[in-house]
Amino acid sequence: MTLITLRDVGIRFGETALLEGVSLTVAPGERICLLGRNGTGKSTLIGIIGGDLEPDHGEVVQRQGLVVSGLTQGVPEDLMGTVLDAVCSRMGERGRNLVKYRQLCDQHDACGQTDPALQKTLLALQHTIDAQDGWPLRQQIERTLSQMGLPMDGEVSTFSAGMKRQVLLAAALAAEPDLLLLDEPTNHLDMGAIEWLESFLLKWTGTLILITHDRMMIRKLATRVLEIDRGAVYSWNCTYDDYLQRSQARLDAEEKENARFDKKLSAEEAWIRQGIKARRTRNEGRVRELQRLREVHRNRRDRTGKVRMRLEEAERSGKVVAEATGIRFAYDARTIIDDFSCTILRGDRIGILGPNGAGKSTLIRVLLGELDPQQGRIKHGTNLKVIYFDQLRGQLDEQKTVQENVSPDSDMIDVGGRRRHVIGYLKDFLFSPQRARSPVWVLSGGEKNRLLLAKLFARPANVLVLDEPTNDLDVETLELLEELLLDFSGTVLLVSHDRAFINNVVTRTLVFEGRARIEGYAGGYDDWLIQRPEPAAAKPEKASPAAPRKTPPSDAPKKRGYMQQRELDALPGHIESLEARQQELFNLMADPDFFRQDGEQIAEVKRELDQIEKDLEAAFSRWEALENI
C-alpha cells in the first residue's frame, strides 16, 4: 500500500515556482535519495511530504495512521538538558510528560521529606503516563540511545554540533516511524559516525527519503533517485550510477529539442519581419503559431550554468614544502600530536582523517606554522604561496556584500593575469548580479562555501589548505572541485569527511589513530581501510549473567568498534567526575558536625560513597578492557 501520494503539487517563493506539477508516490520499504542543485527545493519537498509545509496547490495524501519523523539540516537552539530529556521532549506530549515526571522525582528526592502536594502531583502524572502508554516509549528511547552509544545523562549543551545532530537523529529513530526523512544527515558527522549511520539504515526496514551530497552513501543506500530540476521532479528506479547516465541522456535530448525549437522560432521570426503579403487564413494561423512559440520560449526555464572555477597557480615552490620532526603539541593536559614526523613534497595531495575533535585542524595549523609545537621542529620550504580554506569561513565578513568580500575596494579584480569586473567573475561561481550585491549573512551554507572559494581562487597559490571545503556543496560542484584539484600542480592539504572526495583527490593520508598518534598511508580512504593494521586479539571478557553473549574464538582478531572507541574516549571524563564527587563526600565526612546529623542522612552519604567506589572500580575495569581490544 502506498504511504504518500502527491498529485500536481506546486509551491512558489517570489515570482518563480520552486516546485510545479509534482506528482509521485512513495511505497513501503523504499530508500529514496533526493538530488538536485543547491536551492532547487529539496528541503521544501521533504517539508511538504512530512506535512510541515502546505503547497500552494495540489494534493498530498498520507496513509491513515502513518508515522513520519525526520532530521532537518540545522540544530535548534532549544536543544538542551540531558540526552534522555532532549529526546523525550521531541516526542510529543507523552515525551514531555516523561521529562516532567523525572524532574518532579528529582525535586521530590531533593526535598528529603514527604511533600503531600508534590506526592499528589506525581501520582496524577503517573496515571496520565499510564493512560498514554508512556512507559514503553521511555524504554524505546533508552533502547535507541543504547544502540547509538549516546550517554543518557550527558549534558547536550556541552556537545559538539555533530553529537547534537546524533541526538536529533536518535529522537527521529526512537519514534519508530514508517517514513524517515533525513536532510543532510552526515553534516558535522565524522567518518565513524557516517559508517554507523549507513550500516543502521541498510538494516532498517522502514521507508527512507534522504537528502545528501555524500556519493558513497547514495551508492550504498539508494534504491530509487528523485531528481529536482527547474521545478520538476524526475523519478529514476535504478542505482546512482545508472541514474547519472540516464539523467545526462535526458539533458542531451532536451538540449537537442531546444535547438530544434529555437531554429524553428528563428525562421518564423524572419518570416514575420518580411511582412504579411495577404491576410489569408493560413497566414493568420501562422501568426498565431508564432505567438504561441514566443510564449513557450518566454516561459522556458533554461538550466543554470555550471560553476567555472579556475585556480591561478603561483611559481613553483621548493621541492620540500614542509618537514616535521618529532612534533608534540598539547592543549593544557591534553596531548593532540605526539612524536609526529613527516615530509610534505611539492605535488603531494594529502588527506587528513580522524574523528571529530581528534585535532585535524590543529595539525594543519602546526604544519603551517600558525601554532608552535612544544617539542620538535617544523622546517618550511621556499617560495610558498598558501591559501587556506577555513571550515568556519572566518575570512568572510557577514555584514559586507558578496562583491565586497571578493573585491573590497574596486569593481575590477585581477584574475589569471587579466582585469575582470567582479560581477562577471562572480557569475563563474553562479552568483547573479542581484545576489552579488546581497549581504553574506543571507546566503545558504553552499553559497558561502562557493563565495569563499571565489575569494581564495582569485589569488595565485602553490599550496592549497582546504579544511572541510565540501560541506553543503552540491554533487556537480564537488566534481568540478575535484577536477580542479587533480589539475593543480601544487601541493594540497585536505581535511574532509567526504570519503568519495578523499578517494578521488588525495595521493596519501595522515590518519589520527589512537591517542595523539598519527600514521601515514598511501592512497585515499579505501586504501587506508585496506592498509591499516588489525588490532591484536583481545582477552575474552567475562559475560554478565544479565547480558549473556558469545565470546569470539581466541584466535580471531578483534577490532575496537566506533561505539567502543566513543565509550573509551568518554571514560576519563566520567572517572574524573566520580572522583570529584568522592572527594566532596570525603570533605563532608571530615567535618566534625557531620556525625551530629540524623542517622538516615549519614547512612545516605555512606551509601553514595560505597556506590561511587563500585562505579570507579567498574569504570577502571572497563577502561582496561577497551584498551586491550
Side-chain angles (χ1 to χ4, degrees):
M1 181 181 177
T2 300
L3 300 183
I4 295 276
T5 300
L6 273 64
R7 299 191 183 101
D8 194 30
V9 165
I11 190 170
R12 65 175 57 234
F13 297 99
E15 296 182 358
T16 304
L18 191 61
L19 298 171
E20 187 66 32
V22 176
S23 297
L24 62 92
T25 59
V26 178
E30 288 191 290
R31 294 197 300 270
I32 300 171
C33 188
L34 186 54
L35 299 181
R37 288 188 171 182
N38 292 334
T40 55
K42 299 187 295 295
S43 297
T44 300
L45 181 57
I46 273 193
I48 292 173
I49 291 172
D52 297 323
L53 285 175
E54 285 287 335
D56 295 334
H57 63 80
E59 184 182 18
V60 181
V61 181
Q62 290 190 359
R63 189 189 72 186
Q64 188 173 6
L66 183 72
V67 178
V68 182
S69 67
L71 176 68
T72 58
Q73 285 192 39
V75 176
E77 295 181 359
D78 63 349
L79 193 66
M80 58 185 66
T82 66
V83 170
L84 182 59
D85 284 355
V87 173
C88 285
S89 64
R90 306 185 72 80
M91 305 296 286
E93 185 181 357
R94 287 195 303 163
R96 290 191 293 272
N97 283 336
L98 289 171
V99 175
K100 185 177 179 181
Y101 184 80
R102 186 201 58 75
Q103 292 171 343
L104 288 175
C105 286
D106 289 346
Q107 183 181 339
H108 179 270
D109 293 343
C111 289
Q113 58 184 356
T114 303
D115 183 334
L118 181 58
Q119 190 77 23
K120 184 178 179 180
T121 302
L122 271 172
L123 189 59
L125 185 56
Q126 184 174 341
H127 287 321
T128 300
I129 294 173
D130 286 337
Q132 294 175 333
D133 206 19
W135 305 117
L137 174 64
R138 166 74 179 250
Q139 294 174 347
Q140 194 172 300
I141 292 170
E142 291 180 350
R143 183 168 59 250
T144 301
L145 294 177
S146 176
Q147 290 173 345
M148 295 184 65
L150 291 170
M152 284 185 281
D153 295 328
E155 181 53 51
V156 176
S157 62
T158 65
F159 287 2
S160 66
M163 285 286 286
K164 287 179 179 178
R165 281 185 62 79
Q166 290 185 61
V167 173
L168 294 172
L169 178 61
L173 296 174
E176 295 189 339
D178 303 305
L179 176 61
L180 181 62
L181 308 174
L182 300 181
D183 193 348
E184 295 291 357
T186 62
N187 277 0
H188 307 294
L189 298 188
D190 57 34
M191 287 181 177
I194 293 171
E195 289 169 351
W196 177 89
L197 179 61
E198 281 179 348
S199 176
F200 176 87
L201 294 175
L202 280 169
K203 291 181 288 188
W204 191 60
T205 57
T207 304
L208 171 69
I209 299 181
L210 168 74
I211 297 174
T212 183
H213 298 142
D214 188 317
R215 290 159 291 176
M216 191 172 287
M217 175 173 278
I218 299 170
R219 284 187 169 93
K220 289 183 179 180
L221 292 179
T223 60
R224 177 182 171 198
V225 175
L226 293 179
E227 178 190 15
I228 300 182
D229 183 16
R230 289 162 287 174
V233 175
Y234 300 89
S235 178
W236 310 92
N237 290 293
C238 59
T239 65
Y240 176 66
D241 290 316
D242 286 339
Y243 148 74
L244 292 176
Q245 295 179 3
R246 296 181 188 182
S247 179
Q248 187 59 50
R250 176 184 69 83
L251 293 174
D252 292 343
E254 179 186 305
E255 185 177 351
K256 290 179 181 178
E257 179 60 31
N258 286 343
R260 285 194 294 268
F261 178 93
D262 293 343
K263 185 177 180 179
K264 180 179 180 181
L265 177 60
S266 179
E268 293 301 295
E269 292 285 5
W271 169 78
I272 198 68
R273 285 194 295 270
Q274 295 174 1
I276 304 175
K277 297 179 180 178
R279 297 189 58 82
R280 291 194 293 269
T281 302
R282 66 183 182 88
N283 281 349
E284 292 175 358
R286 192 169 178 179
V287 170
R288 288 194 296 271
E289 175 63 11
L290 174 58
Q291 291 172 339
R292 187 191 70 82
L293 293 176
R294 286 172 173 172
E295 182 67 17
V296 170
H297 186 270
R298 183 163 49 249
N299 293 328
R300 188 171 77 192
R301 295 172 64 177
D302 290 325
R303 187 169 170 81
T304 306
K306 293 183 177 181
V307 174
R308 295 191 294 273
M309 290 186 288
R310 183 177 182 274
L311 180 60
E312 179 66 14
E313 296 196 25
E315 295 180 8
R316 294 206 313 175
S317 67
K319 183 177 181 180
V320 176
V321 173
E323 187 174 9
T325 307
I327 296 299
R328 180 185 179 277
F329 184 86
Y331 287 114
D332 299 324
R334 185 191 171 203
T335 301
I336 306 295
I337 304 166
D338 190 26
D339 193 25
F340 171 67
S341 299
C342 81
T343 300
I344 300 173
L345 302 177
R346 182 181 63 235
D348 280 346
R349 297 195 299 272
I350 299 175
I352 301 176
L353 312 182
N356 288 337
K360 301 184 293 296
S361 298
T362 299
L363 174 60
I364 281 181
R365 295 180 66 192
V366 170
L367 291 173
L368 293 179
E370 294 182 6
L371 294 174
D372 294 325
Q374 283 89 20
Q375 291 180 11
R377 66 184 181 87
I378 298 282
K379 182 180 179 182
H380 293 107
T382 58
N383 195 34
L384 300 185
K385 302 292 183 182
V386 182
I387 61 174
Y388 185 7
F389 183 102
D390 173 19
Q391 64 169 313
L392 301 178
R393 300 187 282 250
Q395 294 148 311
L396 298 180
D397 188 329
E398 295 271 334
Q399 302 307 314
K400 291 184 178 180
T401 66
V402 171
Q403 176 180 346
E404 289 169 340
N405 270 272
V406 173
S407 182
D409 302 319
S410 172
D411 289 340
M412 305 301 292
I413 185 172
D414 290 314
V415 180
R418 65 188 181 96
R419 298 280 286 172
R420 294 188 63 185
H421 196 283
V422 66
I423 296 296
Y425 174 67
L426 285 169
K427 282 184 179 178
D428 290 349
F429 291 82
L430 303 186
F431 290 103
S432 66
Q434 181 182 4
R435 203 62 168 166
R437 297 183 179 96
S438 302
V440 171
W441 63 266
V442 306
L443 302 183
S444 67
E447 287 176 315
K448 288 179 181 178
N449 273 13
R450 275 193 273 120
L451 174 58
L452 184 51
L453 290 172
K455 179 182 176 74
L456 295 176
F457 288 175
R459 300 176 357 219
N462 51 35
V463 178
L464 292 181
V465 181
L466 305 174
D467 193 352
E468 294 291 0
T470 62
N471 285 347
D472 302 310
L473 294 182
D474 57 46
V475 173
E476 286 191 18
T477 307
L478 283 176
E479 292 174 346
L480 289 170
L481 182 57
E482 284 176 358
E483 293 174 11
L484 182 145
L485 295 179
L486 290 172
D487 292 338
F488 180 58
S489 63
T491 306
V492 178
L493 296 179
L494 171 66
V495 175
S496 177
H497 294 143
D498 188 317
R499 297 157 296 172
F501 195 81
I502 290 285
N503 276 339
N504 294 341
V505 170
V506 309
T507 55
R508 62 186 176 113
T509 55
L510 297 175
V511 186
F512 281 79
E513 295 185 339
R515 296 181 180 176
R517 181 168 59 88
I518 304 171
E519 297 291 343
Y521 298 90
Y525 171 77
D526 287 341
D527 298 300
W528 164 62
L529 292 180
I530 295 170
Q531 297 174 66
R532 63 181 176 179
E534 291 289 342
K539 297 178 182 179
E541 298 177 35
K542 185 177 179 181
S544 166
R549 60 176 180 160
K550 296 180 181 179
T551 304
S554 58
D555 58 344
K558 281 187 69 179
K559 172 188 167 184
R560 188 184 305 143
Y562 172 68
M563 294 305 176
Q564 290 175 318
Q565 183 62 50
R566 289 254 312 262
E567 183 184 1
L568 178 60
D569 293 340
L571 275 173
H574 177 56
I575 290 171
E576 184 177 350
S577 63
L578 288 173
E579 290 176 336
R581 179 56 180 163
Q582 184 184 52
Q583 187 60 49
E584 288 177 4
L585 296 178
F586 283 150
N587 294 339
L588 182 63
M589 295 177 68
D591 189 332
D593 294 330
F594 173 77
F595 291 97
R596 297 175 185 170
Q597 299 181 91
D598 181 81
E600 180 56 33
Q601 291 177 306
I602 296 173
E604 180 62 29
V605 172
K606 288 184 175 180
R607 281 195 294 270
E608 184 181 357
L609 190 59
D610 291 339
Q611 185 60 48
I612 286 176
E613 290 175 351
K614 292 177 182 177
D615 291 345
L616 279 170
E617 182 180 355
F620 279 115
S621 297
R622 183 60 176 160
W623 193 352
E624 182 180 2
L626 289 171
E627 282 280 291
N628 288 332
I629 293 178

